[in-house]
């Protein structure tokens, strides 16, 4: 398969792995954060830990949109779904995310009309096909998925679809990274930058990490070779005493990003003053809401969304895992009360959540003690 | 609804449509039970229910699936299939042409396997009470006397044999639902695995320890169940697993693991190490078994787990499927 097989070539991977082993200083410990949940999943899925030297520690970042969505927002979305005349649509990842009174799948089983879609355009199509119903799209995701929501809103307005709205939970990656960098217990040496987000926003928005915090960032793709090459580039920067943004994912990512996507986002969204991130708390200007010109399509304006705030379960240490302070298996609930079948914390829900990925690909099912 | 009420219309449905298509001696009396002679032997029985949307898809349909699925549950138990019962739950308003097509598919699948459909039942429910048609089946087979199959017989060093490419059925159904704007030249792999199983058992009757058809939950779930039941580990060599590029591509795009995707025409067998090559050759010699492969090895550690080994020496745990496979966001 083109663009996949060449990045999984055992010989090339072996070569880069050996180069990393040759390059590392055996007396030094390297803590490298992969910002994106897609990277976390790929690292576990391909067993990359096994081909890296012991003193390279990979730390999972905040880049799984399901994981950082607070329970209160899930409850708000499910409140919309409970209206008799409404169809709630969402991505597959969202269906198993627990709200206070159950997951969207459980609510669907109890009779709510909740449908999985693969794109917000599918949700718009459902609205066109069901004129007697209101169709709300539960939008989540970083800048990776925000442009498709924006384009859907633009199309909905052009088509004059009146029974369609978006419950917007899009977040932006840079404030999330800044929150981690500002955290007093931050001990990260370098970052594998989020490749999918960068396809939209480019590499420039990550320059502050190098400039203000002196940490290297290498924007990387999601195949084993991409991730290993990014780690090698970070190690080289650290040894050279450098801190800059490098683009390993040049086959997809342009330095300036995707201007058409950015334009669509700029016309459909504006920044929220504050948004709550699960585990990280309120972060200013870290999320998107619909621009006033799209108020007719804004579920938060159309419906009285309860605006629920739910405190995370005290024992779940999602925040510490998100900040890279704890490894998943060291959370008190990991593998016991919190597992993919019964997730307590959000990191156990999506396949890109650090805990779910760790459970699925590394953990063996028995309780893990710290 | 009258067709399910037990009166003239019911009789017309059974005598006019169902019985002629399934015609055989055991069914002919249309009695309350089918009666057939059985010599002193071990009998295998299995029941299954089939709910599939859409009813017809590339490579098969619910009619074909219900027969093959039942045959395969018997086959991987080491049982030569003897007879199948079919119960139909039909939604009022189901077109006769659709019903006929599915009955013909059942009859053809049973005929291919040389098995009689010996009875069943028909109920018609109100519109909306079921999704067009549901089928339940009951199968009876005679177990090969030479066999002692079960997780308790699995030993360290045994090899895992897979009969062919995985994920064809699950991905075909996913695409057939039309919710994805993805197209792939794929067909369900629904078929009876009995010819391959019989060849395997004939080639190495003492060497087969365990068999399973990896349907819902896929290869990952079937092997995890084995690992837990046998208290062993299965090392799965990921590069050796036969997989069509279309299935692989769809799984990559959707973030699904092909090992969790349902199959309908494949089987897994654990065979003794000494017989592994002969077993592989026997399956490969049967039409449709050409892509069979030895994909794994039974180990003692880590106990009760399935470990994937990548082509470049990485390892990962392969867990059972949790819930339905759901596509990820990005």
């Amino acid at each position: 398969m083109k663009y996949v097989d060449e990045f999984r070539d055992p010989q090339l991977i072996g070569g880069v792995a050996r180069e990393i082993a040759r390059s590392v200083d055996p007396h030094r410990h390297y803590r490298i954060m992969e910002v994106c949940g897609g990277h976390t999943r790929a690292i576990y899925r391909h067993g990359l830990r096994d081909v890296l030297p012991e003193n390279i520690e990979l730390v999972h970042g905040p880049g799984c949109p399901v994981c950082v969505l607070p329970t209160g927002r899930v409850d708000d979305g499910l409140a919309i779904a409970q209206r008799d005349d409404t169809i709630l649509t969402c991505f597959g990842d969202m269906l198993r995310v627990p709200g206070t009174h159950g997951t969207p799948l459980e609510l669907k089983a109890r009779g709510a009309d909740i449908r999985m879609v693969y794109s917000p355009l599918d949700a718009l199509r459902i609205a066109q096909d069901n004129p007697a119903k209101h169709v709300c799209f539960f939008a989540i995701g970083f800048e990776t998925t925000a442009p498709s929501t924006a384009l859907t809103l633009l199309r909905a307005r052009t088509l004059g679809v009146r029974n369609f709205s978006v419950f917007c939970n899009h977040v932006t990656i840079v404030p999330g990274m800044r929150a981690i960098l500002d955290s007093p217990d931050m001990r990260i040496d370098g970052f594998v930058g989020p490749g999918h987000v960068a396809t939209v926003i480019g590499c420039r928005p990550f320059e502050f990490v190098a400039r203000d915090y002196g940490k290297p960032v290498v924007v990387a793709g999601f195949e084993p070779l991409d991730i290993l090459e990014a780690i090698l580039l970070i190690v080289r920067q650290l040894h050279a005493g450098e801190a800059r943004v490098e683009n390993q994912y040049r086959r997809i990512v342009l330095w300036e990003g995707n201007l058409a996507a950015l334009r669509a986002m700029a016309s459909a969204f504006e920044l929220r003053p504050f948004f709550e991130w699960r585990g990280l708390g309120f972060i200013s200007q870290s999320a998107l809401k619909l621009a006033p010109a799209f108020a007719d399509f804004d579920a938060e304006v159309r419906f009285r969304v309860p605006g629920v705030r739910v405190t995370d379960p005290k024992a779940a240490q999602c925040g510490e895992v998100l900040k890279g302070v704890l490894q998943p298996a060291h959370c008190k609930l990991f593998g016991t009360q919190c597992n993919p079948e019964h997730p307590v914390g959000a990191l156990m829900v999506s396949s890109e959540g650090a805990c779910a990925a760790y459970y699925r690909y590394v953990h063996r099912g028995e309780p893990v003690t710290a | 609804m009258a067709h399910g009420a037990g009166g003239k219309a019911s009789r017309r449905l059974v005598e006019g449509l169902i019985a002629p298509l399934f015609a055989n001696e055991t069914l002919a009396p249309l009695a309350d039970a089918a009666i057939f002679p059985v010599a002193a032997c071990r009998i295998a029985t299995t029941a299954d229910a089939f709910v599939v949307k859409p009813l017809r898809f590339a490579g098969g349909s619910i009619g074909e699936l219900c027969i093959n699925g039942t045959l395969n549950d018997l086959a991987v138990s080491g049982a030569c299939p003897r007879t199948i019962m079919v119960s139909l739950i039909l939604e009022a308003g189901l077109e006769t042409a659709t019903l006929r097509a599915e009955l013909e598919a059942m009859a053809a699948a049973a005929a291919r396997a040389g098995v009689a459909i010996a009875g069943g039942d028909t109920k018609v429910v109100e519109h909306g009470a079921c999704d067009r048609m549901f089928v339940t089946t009951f199968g009876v087979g005679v177990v090969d006397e030479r066999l002692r199959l079960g997780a308790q017989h699995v030993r360290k060093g045994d090899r895992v044999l897979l009969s062919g490419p995985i994920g064809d059925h699950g991905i075909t159904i996913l695409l057939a639902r039309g919710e994805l704007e993805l197209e792939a030249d794929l067909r369900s792999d629904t078929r009876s695995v009995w010819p391959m199983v019989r060849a395997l058992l004939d080639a190495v009757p003492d060497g087969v320890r365990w068999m399973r058809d990896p349907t819902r939950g896929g290869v990952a779930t079937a092997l995890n169940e084995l690992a837990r039941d046998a208290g062993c580990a299965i090392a799965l060599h990921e590069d050796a697993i036969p997989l069509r590029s279309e299935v692989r591509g769809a799984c990559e795009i959707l973030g699904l693991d092909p090992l969790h995707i349902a199959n309908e025409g494949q089987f897994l067998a654990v065979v003794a190490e000494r017989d592994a090559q002969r077993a592989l050759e026997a399956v490969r010699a049967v039409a449709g078994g050409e892509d069979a492969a030895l994909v794994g090895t039974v180990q003692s550690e880590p106990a009760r787990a399935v470990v994937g080994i990548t082509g470049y020496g990485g390892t990962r745990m392969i867990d059972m499927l949790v819930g339905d496979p759901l596509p990820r966001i990005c």
Side-chain angles (χ1 to χ4, degrees), chain B:
Chain B
M1 292 297 292
H3 287 103
K8 280 186 179 173
S10 297
R11 191 76 189 172
R12 266 204 309 276
L13 179 66
V14 173
E15 288 185 349
L17 183 60
I18 299 174
L21 287 168
F22 295 167
N24 60 70
E25 278 179 23
T26 317
L27 176 66
L30 291 178
D32 283 338
I35 299 173
F36 55 94
V38 179
C41 61
R42 288 189 295 159
I43 295 285
T45 60
T46 183
D48 214 338
F50 295 83
V51 176
V52 58
K53 188 174 188 173
L55 294 181
R56 298 192 83 80
F57 41 83
S61 69
I62 189 170
E64 200 174 349
L65 207 58
C66 73
I67 300 299
N68 289 340
T70 311
L71 293 172
N72 291 348
D73 284 344
L74 294 171
V76 294
S77 308
C80 175
R82 289 289 298 273
T83 191
I84 290 181
M85 311 280 180
V86 176
S87 280
L88 307 168
I89 296 177
L90 309 175
E91 186 184 17
L94 178 74
E95 316 78 36
T96 309
T98 303
L99 176 60
R100 171 178 284 280
E102 294 316 316
L103 294 171
E104 284 173 351
M106 289 176 208
R112 270 198 301 277
V115 177
I117 296 176
D121 187 30
T122 306
K123 294 281 187 293
V124 179
V125 295
E126 284 179 16
H127 183 76
C130 87
D131 192 357
R132 305 189 74 198
M133 77 183 279
F134 296 159
V135 184
T136 58
T137 61
F138 178 68
V140 179
V142 178
V143 182
D144 190 316
E145 275 305 319
R146 300 166 294 182
L147 293 181
R148 290 294 176 270
L149 294 177
Q152 71 274 24
H153 301 299
V154 169
R155 297 285 174 269
K156 184 180 165 190
D158 287 351
R159 304 296 303 278
V160 179
L161 186 151
L162 172 62
S163 61
I166 60 169
D168 290 9
H169 176 75
I171 296 295
T172 300
I173 293 288
L174 195 62
L175 299 185
R177 287 184 184 151
E179 295 163 357
L180 281 169
E181 290 187 25
L182 278 179
E183 284 182 25
D185 185 16
L186 267 180
R187 297 167 64 78
S188 166
D189 60 0
T190 178
R191 59 176 172 167
S192 163
V193 298
W194 176 242
M196 288 185 288
V197 169
R198 189 173 49 199
L200 171 70
L201 298 179
D202 286 344
V204 291
D206 301 330
V208 183
R209 320 273 207 208
W210 172 96
M211 284 191 286
R212 179 70 58 83
D213 58 335
T215 52
R216 284 183 308 161
V219 168
T221 300
L223 289 181
N224 265 284
E225 285 172 357
L226 168 64
R228 285 174 196 200
D229 293 347
C232 65
I234 309 288
L236 205 53
H237 305 285
E238 298 203 22
D239 283 1
I241 295 168
L243 183 63
R244 289 186 212 286
S245 59
E246 293 88 344
V247 171
R248 190 168 156 228
C251 287
E252 288 290 335
I253 288 169
L254 297 170
L256 303 175
D257 189 334
L259 291 169
H260 284 146
I261 305 294
N263 310 279
E264 284 295 342
Q266 306 299 347
F267 73 98
L268 286 160
V270 172
V271 291
E273 189 180 12
R274 63 171 190 277
D275 294 324
Q277 202 54 42
R278 206 143 37 97
L280 178 66
E281 285 160 15
V283 175
R284 281 187 171 171
V286 178
E290 298 84 356
D291 295 325
L294 295 168
V295 297
T297 309
V298 177
Q299 303 179 162
S300 43
E301 291 293 326
R304 304 195 310 282
V306 181
V307 183
I309 299 168
T310 62
Y312 31 88
T315 59
R316 63 157 175 148
M317 302 310 293
I318 296 172
D319 203 0
M320 287 189 181
L321 176 66
V322 175
D324 279 326
L326 294 175
R328 66 167 198 257
I329 299 173
C330 63

Side-chain angles (χ1 to χ4, degrees), chain A residues 39-84:
Chain A
H39 283 138
T40 304
R41 182 177 173 278
I43 287 163
Y44 289 141
R45 161 72 182 80
H46 297 289
L48 296 185
R49 186 54 268 169
D50 297 338
V51 301
L52 287 169
E54 290 281 323
N55 54 339
I56 291 190
E57 182 184 353
L58 297 175
V59 178
H60 327 291
C64 166
V66 170
C67 302
V68 298
L69 185 70
T71 308
R73 295 293 289 187
V74 181
D75 287 350
D76 285 346
L78 293 182
I80 297 171
Q82 280 166 313
R83 296 168 54 91
D84 283 340

Side-chain angles (χ1 to χ4, degrees), chain A residues 272-294:
Chain A
R272 291 177 192 266
F274 287 99
F275 193 75
E276 186 185 5
W277 290 48
R278 190 162 184 174
L280 296 176
F282 283 92
I283 303 177
S284 68
Q285 306 214 312
S286 65
L288 303 174
K289 67 193 284 279
L290 268 59
F294 289 86

Side-chain angles (χ1 to χ4, degrees), chain A residues 237-258:
Chain A
Q237 281 199 45
L238 290 171
H239 287 181
E242 293 175 355
R244 56 197 164 79
V245 180
E246 284 186 87
N247 183 8
Q248 183 281 336
Y249 205 21
R250 287 180 302 278
R251 66 186 185 276
I252 306 276
V253 171
L254 301 174
W255 194 264
E256 301 295 338
N258 180 333

